[in-house]
Amino acid sequence: MTSPRRVLVIEDEKMLRMALVDALVSEEFDVLQAADGEGGLELALAEGPDLILLDLMLPKRDGFSVLRAIRQDRLASHVIILSARGEEWDRVQGFEYGADDYVVKPFSMRELLLRIRALERRDAGGAPGIEDASGRVRIGQVEVDFAAYCVVRGEERMGLSRRELELLRYFLLHEGEAIDRLRILTDVWGANEAPTTRTIDTHVLKLRKKIEANPADPVHLQTVHGVGYRFTRRD
Amino acid sequence: MTSPRRVLVIEDEKMLRMALVDALVSEEFDVLQAADGEGGLELALAEGPDLILLDLMLPKRDGFSVLRAIRQDRLASHVIILSARGEEWDRVQGFEYGADDYVVKPFSMRELLLRIRALERRDAGGAPGIEDASGRVRIGQVEVDFAAYCVVRGEERMGLSRRELELLRYFLLHEGEAIDRLRILTDVWGANEAPTTRTIDTHVLKLRKKIEANPADPVHLQTVHGVGYRFTRRD
DNA sequence: CATGGCCTGTCAACGCGATGTCAATTCGGA
DNA sequence: TCCGAATTGACATCGCGTTGACAGGCCATG
């Protein structure tokens, strides 16, 4: 899940740019930055970051122009526009298309991070493996509906908490692989948070209760003694 | 992916129209386009596309007029309204004329594509449209009458305020999906308004009192802790 | 094959952030 | 201006995530 998350910040106002970079770095993004449109566009095209935070009012080349150029280059980067509500707002209404989201200045770092996370979730969102037409993933006797945050077992539906869902998605991504607890922690929880490895066991326990036919004798979520866990979809 | 998916884009603003067409073509839609209401209506009637993206503010013939004419012609096309005004009135009005969904400008291409996909899924699933013949929607024990702004529970009728109605409609359009508060805010309230996320809770509270048999133990409007809410129609 | 030590399963309890709830205030349309 | 709706804030409550304790289980060693 934690693929290289590289962000390019294109913002001329120094204070704001630094604040953004700081916040992003502490969220463990790789951060690139540029102070004007031209430099930003060059960096974007050269590096192809996963996400671009784009101010609209920029020296040398305004944000609209940058966005258009980026899209013409078929760059797959996500773009979140940072716009002031003032003058350009009307133009935003007409021009902002091709961006994935927009945040109106002044905004709180918290709000921005929430939107970035939402974007990531939508991106990783679907599911790794084969999902059926309704967007669900089958695991043995049950189906997981990631969009709905729940597992479906016949007629019965059980909710999944966010951690449970993220953990399950992680296992799905690494199907058949024995994964040690430390890696699970850093990949699913992130390096900022540092719970005990016991926490994982508890979550595995809860997942087993929800996806295993017989939680006491797990088929899909197996223990690899001295290492961690291994996940399988087939029965 | 599926059968002939033909889309007609009716939008006067050139940049936006081009952006839309590009995005749709790269999603492998057959795309038709028109720059004003009259041309759009002609194309719609002549070609009967599966989906129409309809701007409201158009030269020669506004979007409402086009929509009305399309429906009078018993055209089966789905219609998604692109509303620049962001006024609730527009949205409600649009639904009364038989639009299937609306997107408020400025919107992200991603969001639009998600809506289109949702529409396709609803369509393919053989799921009936949102409203039945009488224009009402059944939710468990109650019925919602959108035209009359009220819910009917047996003999009892309770009024719905505009926001309540908007929110409820949004949930219906995204049935079975866990939606985070931020998305609800931008989608239902629009980007120009920015109330607290707490506001949503209050409205959910009021909706629950009106549609749930036991508001303290909600069946249809469930909370997904740490995420947002999930709506279901069935009991 | 038996034993000890480490690893995991399981559960109950706690803390904190998220949500439910309502009253007070602001907003917006006749 | 007036009235109802929308929004906000305060406070109560709830649920998840986390932890620690204990009971087993697994493996390595002898």
Side-chain angles (χ1 to χ4, degrees):
Chain A
M1 177 192 283
T2 340
S3 41
R5 308 188 301 164
R6 306 206 309 156
V7 185
L8 167 59
V9 178
I10 310 181
E11 164 68 58
D12 59 321
E13 205 178 312
K14 195 176 176 191
M15 291 304 286
L16 175 55
R17 188 176 69 245
M18 286 170 58
L20 285 169
V21 171
D22 277 359
L24 291 167
V25 165
S26 76
E27 289 289 317
E28 292 169 24
F29 286 91
D30 279 349
V31 184
L32 305 166
Q33 46 182 313
D36 62 70
E38 268 180 22
L41 180 56
E42 271 173 38
L43 258 178
L45 296 179
E47 302 284 340
D50 303 299
L51 170 67
I52 299 174
L53 301 183
L54 180 62
D55 188 22
L56 284 182
M57 225 178 335
L58 287 170
K60 294 196 181 170
R61 209 183 213 280
D62 73 31
F64 298 120
S65 159
V66 173
L67 177 55
R68 215 176 306 135
I70 286 172
R71 287 310 179 216
Q72 270 170 11
D73 217 72
R74 291 272 178 276
L75 206 56
S77 310
H78 289 152
V79 176
I80 294 182
I81 286 195
L82 315 174
S83 82
R85 191 185 286 263
E87 324 93 59
E88 325 114 50
W89 184 247
D90 290 340
R91 295 179 63 203
V92 176
Q93 303 243 349
F95 264 100
E96 180 258 297
Y97 317 95
D100 295 283
D101 206 344
Y102 50 90
V103 179
V104 179
K105 295 182 187 176
F107 54 86
S108 68
M109 214 48 78
R110 176 184 157 75
E111 186 191 345
L112 178 63
L113 290 175
L114 278 174
R115 284 182 188 278
I116 292 177
R117 238 167 272 144
L119 204 59
E120 287 187 308
R121 226 179 304 139
R122 255 186 268 172
D123 205 32
I130 304 102
E131 28 181 310
D132 62 19
S134 61
R136 292 179 181 174
V137 181
R138 169 162 290 284
I139 300 175
Q141 305 298 315
V142 305
E143 285 192 335
V144 183
D145 189 331
F146 282 95
Y149 279 76
C150 66
V151 300
V152 186
R153 155 179 262 147
E155 283 301 298
E156 199 185 356
R157 299 173 76 90
M158 280 168 300
L160 284 175
S161 76
R162 203 156 69 181
R163 277 256 193 272
E164 286 166 5
L165 185 107
E166 276 167 18
L167 186 57
L168 185 52
R169 177 181 290 151
Y170 182 75
F171 278 128
L172 235 10
L173 273 170
H174 298 273
E175 185 183 350
E177 200 178 328
I179 318 175
D180 64 275
R181 292 183 169 72
L182 220 55
R183 224 182 107 202
I184 296 177
L185 267 190
T186 48
D187 287 351
V188 177
W189 271 257
N192 280 353
E193 323 209 9
T196 313
T197 56
R198 306 312 340 279
T199 301
I200 296 173
D201 300 314
T202 306
H203 281 279
V204 166
L205 177 68
K206 288 195 284 188
L207 277 183
R208 279 176 176 159
K209 282 180 181 167
K210 290 178 181 175
I211 66 172
E212 295 282 357
N214 177 15
D217 177 29
V219 174
H220 302 106
L221 211 36
Q222 287 181 320
T223 302
V224 182
H225 197 92
V227 181
Y229 297 98
R230 177 177 45 229
F231 176 82
T232 326
R233 273 164 60 188
R234 64 162 190 76
D235 276 308
Chain B
M1 185 215 271
T2 33
S3 40
R5 307 189 302 165
R6 304 208 309 157
V7 185
L8 168 59
V9 178
I10 310 181
E11 165 68 57
D12 59 321
E13 208 178 308
K14 194 177 175 191
M15 289 305 292
L16 173 55
R17 191 177 65 246
M18 286 170 55
L20 285 169
V21 170
D22 276 0
L24 291 167
V25 165
S26 75
E27 288 287 316
E28 292 170 18
F29 285 91
D30 279 349
V31 185
L32 305 166
Q33 46 182 312
D36 61 70
E38 268 180 20
L41 181 55
E42 271 173 37
L43 258 179
L45 296 179
E47 301 285 340
D50 303 300
L51 170 65
I52 299 174
L53 301 184
L54 180 61
D55 188 21
L56 283 182
M57 228 177 333
L58 287 170
K60 294 196 181 168
R61 211 181 212 283
D62 74 33
F64 286 128
S65 161
V66 174
L67 180 52
R68 213 177 309 133
I70 285 172
R71 288 309 179 214
Q72 271 171 11
D73 217 71
R74 295 270 180 277
L75 205 56
S77 310
H78 287 146
V79 175
I80 295 182
I81 286 188
L82 313 176
S83 161
R85 291 181 243 183
E87 293 296 324
E88 289 76 10
W89 184 85
D90 289 335
R91 308 182 203 171
V92 174
Q93 208 64 13
F95 275 108
E96 282 168 11
Y97 287 130
D100 295 282
D101 204 349
Y102 62 83
V103 180
V104 180
K105 295 182 188 178
F107 55 86
S108 68
M109 213 48 77
R110 175 175 306 273
E111 182 61 28
L112 177 63
L113 291 176
L114 280 175
R115 299 293 180 85
I116 293 177
R117 231 164 278 148
L119 204 60
E120 287 185 307
R121 215 182 315 137
R122 246 187 284 152
D123 204 34
I130 293 294
E131 315 191 355
D132 64 17
S134 66
R136 288 186 180 178
V137 183
R138 168 159 291 283
I139 300 175
Q141 305 299 314
V142 306
E143 282 193 337
V144 183
D145 189 331
F146 282 100
Y149 280 76
C150 69
V151 300
V152 185
R153 155 180 264 148
E155 286 301 303
E156 199 183 355
R157 296 173 74 87
M158 280 167 300
L160 282 176
S161 75
R162 213 171 46 194
R163 279 255 191 268
E164 286 167 6
L165 182 116
E166 286 285 318
L167 188 57
L168 184 52
R169 193 198 309 280
Y170 183 75
F171 278 127
L172 274 165
L173 285 172
H174 296 271
E175 183 184 351
E177 193 180 338
I179 316 176
D180 62 274
R181 292 182 169 71
L182 226 52
R183 231 182 105 200
I184 296 176
L185 267 189
T186 52
D187 289 349
V188 177
W189 270 259
N192 296 356
E193 326 210 8
T196 312
T197 55
R198 302 319 329 286
T199 301
I200 296 173
D201 300 321
T202 305
H203 282 276
V204 166
L205 177 68
K206 289 194 285 187
L207 278 182
R208 278 177 176 158
K209 282 180 181 167
K210 291 177 182 175
I211 66 171
E212 295 282 357
N214 177 15
D217 179 29
V219 174
H220 301 105
L221 244 162
Q222 291 181 317
T223 113
V224 182
H225 197 92
V227 180
Y229 296 99
R230 175 180 48 223
F231 176 82
T232 326
R233 274 163 75 184
R234 65 164 191 78
D235 276 308

